[in-house]
Amino acid sequence: MNIQMTDKELNALVSLLDDGDQEIKEHVRDKILSLGNQIIPFLENKWEGSFNPELQKEIEEIVHDMQLNLLKERLSNWKDSQERELLEGLWIVNTYLYPDLEFDQLNALMQQIYFDVWTNFKNELSVYDKIKLINNVMFNDLKFSANTKNFHSPANSMLKTVLETKKGNPISLCSVYLLVAKKLGLPVYGVNLPNLFVLTYQSGKFNFYINAFNKGLIFTKQDINNYLDHLKLDPKPEYYEPCENIEIIRRVIRNLIFSFEKIGDLDKSKEVNQLLKIVNQP
């Protein structure tokens, strides 16, 4: 709903957030939420100009709810779109922790990495040499590496942080690798293994796997069999075959839920669960 209000009316409305009557406060909250995200800058100004911690807390919660509603709307639209572009999906999830992050900012960070690989790339190289070249640029030149110290940090699921710190978990490192490989026109896809996300190169007689969490280590189907044996799990087709982008986003969201549970932030894990419900809808 888009209701036009003057600054004077908005000021009067926001001042009522400090009302002692819970019913009035709830009514005011709903009214402000109904005005939509365009009033966030106004609310942020009110927060900065206020010396009332109670009012500031109310404003923070409303702004957060507005940003979360926008995220859910974007995620739902992404899920229903035909393209389901991976970078766009990752950006939407990133806006949970970085609500002001624009898609163009994330795209620019990604383009720089792609450019660094592309300037070294030669189409006449053999398939394995192309992969070794990507590995060399990403893991030696650009110094991407596994974040083993803070493995369960929520930041590991945030592409923005991973691109800035060059450290990530299996799925975030694979996502960077996958986005670069796709832009180079290589038949590289994500593969959903239990406890580990990897990549596969599939074209004609070439069918092998890549572990971006281990500096782009190349391995075979037999290695997956051994891995599943070790975990005492039966092999399933999805442990070997390419997965859709929505599966990648689902897994990123599940990782995020687990991260928040692990650090004891149950409010955030509940909120991110709402995102999982959106991408799980048929």
Side-chain angles (χ1 to χ4, degrees):
M1 199 188 317
N2 191 348
I3 307 163
Q4 293 299 320
M5 291 183 84
T6 65
D7 278 6
K8 192 177 175 185
E9 288 170 325
L10 280 171
N11 277 317
L13 193 61
V14 171
S15 65
L16 286 170
L17 282 170
D18 198 26
D19 198 284
D21 186 323
Q22 194 58 37
E23 207 173 311
I24 290 175
K25 204 186 268 191
E26 282 300 313
H27 178 71
V28 170
R29 224 179 117 78
D30 291 344
K31 177 85 171 165
I32 293 171
L33 281 168
S34 76
L35 297 173
N37 281 45
Q38 66 269 26
I39 73 152
I40 287 177
F42 175 86
L43 292 172
E44 287 172 339
N45 282 337
K46 290 297 289 181
W47 186 94
E48 284 167 14
S50 171
F51 295 97
N52 178 343
E54 275 301 305
L55 182 63
Q56 285 181 320
K57 186 169 177 289
E58 289 291 338
I59 291 171
E60 279 169 26
E61 285 177 3
I62 287 174
V63 169
H64 177 71
D65 285 352
M66 284 179 164
Q67 288 166 336
L68 185 61
N69 288 340
L70 177 62
L71 192 167
K72 291 197 279 194
E73 187 186 319
R74 280 172 173 161
L75 190 61
S76 184
N77 290 339
W78 180 86
K79 183 191 79 74
D80 294 338
S81 71
Q82 271 189 308
E83 299 82 15
R84 286 181 178 172
E85 286 186 358
L86 181 58
L87 186 59
E88 188 188 356
L90 291 167
W91 162 67
I92 293 166
V93 175
N94 272 229
T95 61
Y96 180 69
L97 285 184
Y98 304 109
D100 296 330
L101 178 69
E102 298 288 340
F103 175 78
D104 289 348
Q105 292 171 268
L106 197 62
N107 193 31
L109 288 170
M110 206 52 239
Q111 286 287 358
Q112 186 55 55
I113 290 152
Y114 165 70
F115 183 76
D116 289 338
V117 177
W118 177 77
T119 48
N120 288 275
F121 199 73
K122 296 178 182 70
N123 271 321
E124 62 271 17
L125 290 173
S126 72
V127 166
Y128 288 103
D129 282 343
K130 284 176 182 174
I131 297 303
K132 284 174 187 166
L133 186 141
I134 297 176
N135 290 349
N136 189 46
V137 176
M138 273 192 64
F139 305 113
N140 294 336
D141 297 351
L142 297 176
K143 304 281 191 288
F144 275 95
S145 65
N147 193 347
T148 47
K149 273 189 188 167
N150 299 307
F151 188 79
H152 296 298
S153 163
N156 271 335
S157 295
M158 296 285 117
L159 189 63
K160 173 187 184 288
T161 316
V162 174
L163 294 177
E164 289 171 349
T165 63
K166 306 289 194 285
K167 288 190 180 300
N169 59 18
I171 196 160
S172 58
L173 291 173
C174 277
S175 294
V176 176
Y177 200 115
L178 181 58
L179 287 162
V180 168
K182 284 281 182 210
K183 213 159 164 48
L184 291 166
L186 300 178
V188 173
Y189 312 91
V191 179
N192 250 326
L193 271 175
N195 306 334
L196 183 64
F197 193 86
V198 295
L199 300 168
T200 181
Y201 186 108
Q202 290 199 359
S203 178
K205 62 177 181 177
F206 294 103
N207 193 338
F208 57 88
Y209 298 87
I210 305 159
N211 185 354
F213 197 63
N214 188 0
K215 298 189 172 183
L217 177 80
I218 292 170
F219 61 104
T220 65
K221 189 175 181 178
Q222 186 52 50
D223 293 314
I224 293 182
N225 293 338
N226 298 343
Y227 175 75
L228 295 171
D229 275 350
H230 179 70
L231 293 177
K232 298 183 169 49
L233 290 171
D234 293 329
K236 291 181 182 174
E238 64 259 36
Y239 297 159
Y240 303 91
E241 293 302 316
C243 68
E244 302 283 337
N245 286 344
I246 195 159
E247 287 298 326
I248 297 176
I249 298 301
R250 273 191 195 117
R251 188 147 180 173
V252 168
I253 293 171
R254 281 199 297 266
N255 278 358
L256 203 49
I257 293 166
F258 183 72
S259 295
F260 285 128
E261 285 173 354
K262 202 84 177 154
I263 61 172
D265 197 333
L266 299 185
D267 287 343
K268 281 196 170 70
S269 83
K270 276 182 195 164
E271 283 184 340
V272 182
N273 247 308
Q274 295 171 31
L275 308 184
L276 189 60
K277 281 178 185 159
I278 291 170
V279 289
N280 279 343
Q281 283 166 1

